[in-house]
Amino acid sequence: MSLPMPSRSALAVLGGLWTVFFFLGMSPGYYTPALSNILASRGLGSEWVAYAFLVGPLAALISPLIVGSIADNRFPAQKVFAVIGMVSGLLLAAAFAALERLGSPHLFLGLFAAASIVAAPMWSMLASIAMVHLRSGEREFPVVRLGGTLGWMAAGVLTSFVFHFEGSPGAGYAAAITRFIGAAFALFLPNTPPMGNSRSLRTLLGLDAFRLLKERDHLVFFSVTTLLSIPLAVFFMHTPMHLIALGSTTPSATMTIGQISEIVAMLLMSVVMTRFRVKTVLMIALGLSALRYALFSVAGSTGNSGWLIAGISLHGLCYTLYFITGQLFLDRRVDPSMRTQAQGLLTLASNGVGSVIGILFGKFLYDYAVVQQHGGWTAYWWVQAALSALCLPVMAIFYQGVAVKKEEGAQV
């Protein structure tokens, strides 16, 4: 006998969450793929590119757990989200104004860092808000999260073909305006009051989230996430540069190919999460991640951009099957009073620790392999593929999973 389908969330809830995700994804979609070329157009070399890409990961080490704890224990999450979105939007506009009008890379980095620290919790917070109000997370979260993917794609197309912001600080202004609009829309999301009531300093600093690591599968998941994020950190930093080296004139638009596969993966998530174990889905994602960089390496050895585009097309599958599955995994396994902090810990592991290591290592490897021509792009991407592949045996050996009730779906 088939199980009854869960009742659907109200259309207004789905539409509101989708809209905020759209603007949230659109904001970095303007400047992230173009950032390397924007800095290069200002005469700033690979060192400054690395510094700029390092800012976000460093920010993710600071604020997600603290802001997550505030939302879990003190103030409604949608209001916290709106405030940090507006403030970070203003700081982002100031950062790109400093780069364009003053030509000051140091001031740009300072303001960019401030904007990133304020904005770092936004993705994890919005995911947590969505989990609270969606009646069927496995079926509906991928749908509303798809808004972020489409927003990112729209920004890439606008950057390359409408605004022609490939090397212009105008991409930063567009991102700031978009982020502010998304934050304003968040005020109309359903009220999400705090579920906890702790006032201890340890709780307010978000340190309680680290208790999750005492559970074996949590420890394995967060460890693999950190390791996977090391090669993932250079995807947007160096892939556009490789595209240009192979003759592309529209790298931002080309990078959106990855979001096309992300759309496909999002639409399949409801089927995947109810028919397969979480471990199986995560391992497929890890395998595809290694394959993606292997294809990049072939592009480096052949000089054929088709291999690079093929790898880019896998990016959305890799990201969705691992990180969206991970968010749903945490929502199933974590106490509601820790929900936002758990998502913040995921941000810290992926966008923070893993990305910091990945960007620093990526800069060193890029300078050695590409700039100094010790193997070129071929060697560079093979190393990143090997790092991705290392995640597979760790997940296969140490992750156990637990059985859940049949009506709740697959094992986690």
Side-chain angles (χ1 to χ4, degrees), residues 161-187:
F161 299 118
V162 179
F163 299 136
H164 304 291
F165 282 156
E166 288 290 359
S168 168
Y173 298 141
I177 293 170
T178 301
R179 185 173 296 174
F180 198 93
I181 294 173
F185 269 101
L187 292 172

Side-chain angles (χ1 to χ4, degrees), residues 186-197:
L187 292 172
F188 298 96
L189 292 176
N191 187 44
T192 313
M195 299 290 289
N197 56 12

Side-chain angles (χ1 to χ4, degrees), residues 46-241:
S46 63
E47 182 176 351
W48 286 101
V49 171
Y51 290 155
F53 274 91
L54 192 59
V55 161
L58 288 174
L61 295 174
I62 299 172
S63 55
L65 291 182
I66 297 174
V67 176
S69 175
I70 291 173
D72 279 339
N73 292 281
R74 299 296 296 269
F75 301 107
Q78 82 281 359
K79 293 182 179 179
V80 177
F81 178 92
V83 170
I84 64 176
M86 292 178 181
V87 172
S88 66
L90 294 174
L91 289 170
L92 190 63
F96 280 93
L99 184 65
E100 179 185 34
R101 299 180 182 180
L102 303 178
S104 173
H106 295 91
L107 183 56
F108 164 75
L109 279 180
L111 289 167
F112 192 50
S116 299
I117 290 172
V118 176
M122 293 184 71
W123 283 98
S124 57
M125 285 196 67
L126 189 55
S128 180
I129 292 170
M131 298 297 185
V132 171
H133 297 289
L134 295 177
R135 295 182 180 179
S136 176
E138 286 82 1
R139 290 179 171 84
E140 295 176 336
F141 179 69
V143 174
V144 297
R145 176 58 180 78
L146 183 60
T149 303
L150 293 175
W152 185 290
M153 289 180 64
V157 172
L158 290 171
T159 296
S160 291
F161 299 118
V162 179
F163 299 136
H164 304 291
F165 282 156
E166 288 290 359
S168 168
Y173 298 141
I177 293 170
T178 301
R179 185 173 296 174
F180 198 93
I181 294 173
F185 269 101
L187 292 172
F188 298 96
L189 292 176
N191 187 44
T192 313
M195 299 290 289
N197 56 12
S198 176
R199 297 295 186 269
S200 71
L201 180 61
R202 175 184 174 85
T203 298
L204 294 180
L205 290 176
L207 300 180
D208 285 345
F210 289 101
R211 292 185 302 182
L212 297 173
L213 302 181
K214 294 180 180 180
E215 202 274 329
R216 177 184 174 126
D217 284 348
H218 290 161
L219 178 60
V220 173
F221 171 70
F222 283 113
S223 298
V224 171
T225 297
T226 302
L227 181 59
L228 177 64
S229 298
I230 293 174
L232 179 61
V234 300
F235 179 77
F236 286 106
M237 184 167 75
H238 286 148
T239 308
M241 297 172 70

Side-chain angles (χ1 to χ4, degrees), residues 108-375:
F108 164 75
L109 279 180
L111 289 167
F112 192 50
S116 299
I117 290 172
V118 176
M122 293 184 71
W123 283 98
S124 57
M125 285 196 67
L126 189 55
S128 180
I129 292 170
M131 298 297 185
V132 171
H133 297 289
L134 295 177
R135 295 182 180 179
S136 176
E138 286 82 1
R139 290 179 171 84
E140 295 176 336
F141 179 69
V143 174
V144 297
R145 176 58 180 78
L146 183 60
T149 303
L150 293 175
W152 185 290
M153 289 180 64
V157 172
L158 290 171
T159 296
S160 291
F161 299 118
V162 179
F163 299 136
H164 304 291
F165 282 156
E166 288 290 359
S168 168
Y173 298 141
I177 293 170
T178 301
R179 185 173 296 174
F180 198 93
I181 294 173
F185 269 101
L187 292 172
F188 298 96
L189 292 176
N191 187 44
T192 313
M195 299 290 289
N197 56 12
S198 176
R199 297 295 186 269
S200 71
L201 180 61
R202 175 184 174 85
T203 298
L204 294 180
L205 290 176
L207 300 180
D208 285 345
F210 289 101
R211 292 185 302 182
L212 297 173
L213 302 181
K214 294 180 180 180
E215 202 274 329
R216 177 184 174 126
D217 284 348
H218 290 161
L219 178 60
V220 173
F221 171 70
F222 283 113
S223 298
V224 171
T225 297
T226 302
L227 181 59
L228 177 64
S229 298
I230 293 174
L232 179 61
V234 300
F235 179 77
F236 286 106
M237 184 167 75
H238 286 148
T239 308
M241 297 172 70
H242 195 181
L243 282 168
I244 288 178
L246 293 177
S248 174
T249 58
T250 56
S252 294
T254 303
M255 293 291 287
T256 63
I257 293 173
Q259 277 65 56
I260 295 175
S261 67
E262 190 172 326
I263 292 173
V264 175
M266 291 283 188
L267 295 176
L268 292 175
M269 281 298 292
S270 61
V271 175
V272 169
M273 289 300 293
T274 54
R275 295 191 179 183
F276 298 97
R277 292 186 62 195
V278 164
K279 181 177 181 178
T280 301
V281 179
L282 294 177
M283 291 194 64
I284 290 172
L286 295 174
L288 291 174
S289 297
L291 176 60
R292 168 188 56 195
Y293 286 139
L295 293 172
F296 282 11
S297 183
V298 175
S301 62
T302 63
N304 186 337
S305 61
W307 292 102
L308 195 63
I309 292 172
I312 292 172
S313 70
L314 291 178
H315 175 73
L317 289 170
C318 301
Y319 180 86
T320 301
L321 293 179
Y322 189 86
F323 287 97
I324 302 304
T325 299
Q327 289 181 311
L328 293 168
F329 158 80
L330 290 176
D331 186 64
R332 288 176 176 180
R333 297 273 294 254
V334 174
D335 185 271
S337 65
M338 292 281 292
R339 181 181 280 119
T340 308
Q341 293 171 78
Q343 300 292 342
L345 186 59
L346 178 60
T347 299
L348 184 147
S350 57
N351 297 347
V353 178
S355 292
V356 168
I357 298 171
I359 289 171
L360 292 174
F361 177 71
K363 180 187 182 301
F364 165 79
L365 184 62
Y366 173 81
D367 289 342
Y368 178 80
V370 181
V371 177
Q372 300 174 24
Q373 299 183 354
H374 292 102

